[in-house]
Amino acid sequence: MTIPAERLDQIAHRFAELEARMASGQLVGDAFVQASRDYAELEPVAKVAAEVKAAREEIASLEEMLADPEMKAMAEEELAELRQRLPEAERELAIAMLPRDSADAKPAMLEIRAGTGGDEAALFAGDLYRMYERFAAEQGWKVEPVSMSASEVGGFKEVVANIAGTGVFARLKFESGVHRVQRVPETESGGRIHTSAATVAVLPEPDEVDVQIDAGDLKIDTYRASGAGGQHVNTTDSAIRITHLPTNTVVTCQDGRSQHKNREKAMQVLRARLFEQQREATEGAEAEARKAMVGSGDRSERIRTYNFPQGRVTDHRIGLTLHKLPEILAGTGLGELVDALIAEDEAKRLAAMTE
């Protein structure tokens, strides 16, 4: 896909304008925040656009040198190298210019729930949570648990966590769906392989300005937390249940000892869920386009199988199998899957634009 020279000049001009505004020292408050976001978004595009423009200009210069017998051999050698490199740079630029999900730069809310499989599903949900926790640490992100409902045998019936960092949602958004595990449970005396599942949902976490919540639309209940926690559980009404009446969205949080902290965390989850509902409602065409690419992000869609006997992980959406199950569950190997999913999404969107 060849980008017109006029478009390269427009990108360079826009980036120069942003650089000048950022260096002027005149931007404050929201204007500075917005300019910083625009700069961060355009910088990688401008960098590749400059490389493409420079390569094209160098090719034109070398082609003129072909007429000089003394320079022809050297020019031909450099031309061959540049002509091989230019299409790769132009493709990289085309990918960088693809329309981005407006939520890509945001932190994310990770929700994991045990599905079919009873205790084994809860254990698997715990495995998935630790996988994402370790992967996040490798990326330099910060993971903060928001709500946890532990299983009696270990693992989680449900766990919700906030993952903060740069571009978290962009990297993790294709993790939403049903994750299936095939292995022999520790409680299985006959050595039979069982199949269990857990659902993963990754939601972009909005800023407060992204989602306006009317206090009159909320029903807030307090109650005593249940589960492990000692005497505190039995004596303090610290658990919070918030119901957003217009959408009937219910969020609970009982992990902290402070009712105030639990309420803050519950509101954090509520904003993320309402923001996702707004995105689906207002970006219908874009959402449909996304479904045609790597996957819908629907938590009912089976996306991946973790097969312990064969030590493999298969992502069904892109037909990729990696015999690296221990590394993937340890978080260190998950990046290979994530990168493959992002590359497949970019390739399909690029193909759709050029049809």
Side-chain angles (χ1 to χ4, degrees):
M1 183 177 182
T2 302
I3 309 299
E6 295 81 4
R7 183 68 179 121
L8 299 183
D9 291 338
Q10 289 172 358
I11 293 170
H13 180 68
R14 172 61 176 153
F15 188 62
E17 280 186 337
L18 275 172
E19 279 190 313
R21 290 185 67 200
M22 294 288 291
S24 70
Q26 298 176 356
L27 297 176
V28 295
D30 291 343
F32 179 80
V33 172
Q34 186 58 53
S36 298
R37 288 176 177 172
D38 292 344
Y39 183 89
E41 184 177 331
L42 187 58
E43 183 179 25
V45 180
K47 181 180 178 181
V48 183
E51 291 174 1
V52 169
K53 184 177 181 180
R56 289 180 182 176
E57 290 174 349
E58 192 171 352
I59 286 173
S61 176
L62 288 168
E63 286 175 341
E64 291 180 1
M65 292 171 61
L66 292 175
D68 184 341
E70 294 183 0
M71 305 294 291
K72 183 177 180 181
M74 182 188 72
E76 285 178 339
E77 184 179 345
E78 292 186 19
L79 267 173
E81 183 181 336
L82 276 172
R83 284 170 175 166
Q84 183 176 4
R85 196 172 71 216
L86 181 59
E88 297 174 5
E90 289 185 328
R91 186 177 187 278
E92 186 180 345
L93 176 59
I95 289 174
M97 291 174 63
L98 285 172
R100 298 295 171 186
D101 188 329
S102 58
D104 273 355
K106 294 185 179 295
M109 196 68 67
L110 172 69
E111 303 181 359
I112 303 174
R113 294 177 178 82
T116 55
D119 291 342
E120 174 64 11
L123 291 170
F124 180 51
D127 292 338
L128 290 176
Y129 178 70
R130 285 184 289 274
M131 176 183 74
Y132 291 121
E133 195 174 37
R134 292 162 182 161
F135 178 68
E138 192 177 71
Q139 304 298 306
W141 301 335
K142 181 181 178 182
V143 179
E144 181 182 4
V146 173
S147 177
M148 290 180 168
S149 177
S151 166
E152 294 177 358
V153 298
F156 299 104
K157 297 176 185 175
E158 176 181 298
V159 56
V160 179
N162 168 258
I163 305 180
T166 303
V168 176
F169 183 68
R171 295 281 287 161
L172 292 182
K173 61 185 176 182
F174 297 123
E175 294 301 299
S176 292
V178 175
H179 294 239
R180 186 177 67 169
V181 63
Q182 295 172 329
R183 64 184 174 189
V184 179
E186 293 180 6
T187 55
E188 171 57 54
S189 58
R192 291 176 300 174
I193 296 173
H194 287 229
T195 298
S196 306
T199 60
V200 173
V202 179
L203 309 178
E205 187 184 2
D207 300 322
E208 288 194 32
V209 294
D210 292 328
V211 180
Q212 300 295 325
I213 300 177
D214 190 334
D217 291 337
L218 301 178
K219 178 187 176 187
I220 301 177
D221 300 308
T222 60
Y223 59 99
R224 290 183 183 176
S226 60
Q231 288 184 331
H232 159 74
V233 170
N234 302 317
T235 60
T236 309
D237 290 342
S238 60
I240 292 287
R241 180 188 300 110
I242 300 179
T243 304
H244 185 249
L245 299 174
T247 61
N248 198 34
T249 303
V250 180
V251 176
T252 62
C253 187
Q254 64 174 27
D255 290 339
R257 295 193 173 194
S258 163
Q259 186 182 112
H260 176 69
K261 288 289 186 184
N262 281 338
R263 176 169 174 161
E264 278 186 358
K265 289 183 176 181
M267 286 298 295
Q268 190 180 21
V269 177
L270 179 62
R271 277 194 296 270
R273 292 183 184 174
L274 294 180
F275 183 60
E276 184 64 10
Q277 290 175 19
Q278 289 179 13
R279 274 164 40 87
E280 291 177 354
T282 60
E283 301 175 12
E286 184 180 333
E288 285 301 315
R290 285 200 300 268
K291 287 181 182 181
M293 303 304 169
V294 168
S296 66
D298 190 326
R299 65 185 68 186
S300 66
E301 178 187 6
R302 189 194 72 180
I303 64 167
R304 194 175 294 156
T305 296
Y306 303 72
N307 185 290
F308 274 67
Q310 298 178 21
R312 62 174 169 81
V313 177
T314 298
D315 195 288
H316 304 290
R317 295 162 296 179
I318 57 176
L320 175 64
T321 295
L322 298 176
H323 291 272
K324 299 180 179 181
L325 187 144
E327 294 90 339
I328 289 170
L329 285 179
T332 56
L334 182 59
E336 188 172 349
L337 273 172
V338 169
D339 290 340
L341 288 162
I342 292 173
E344 180 75 6
D345 176 64
E346 290 174 341
K348 287 185 176 180
R349 289 196 292 139
L350 189 60
M353 287 185 66
T354 55
E355 285 179 354

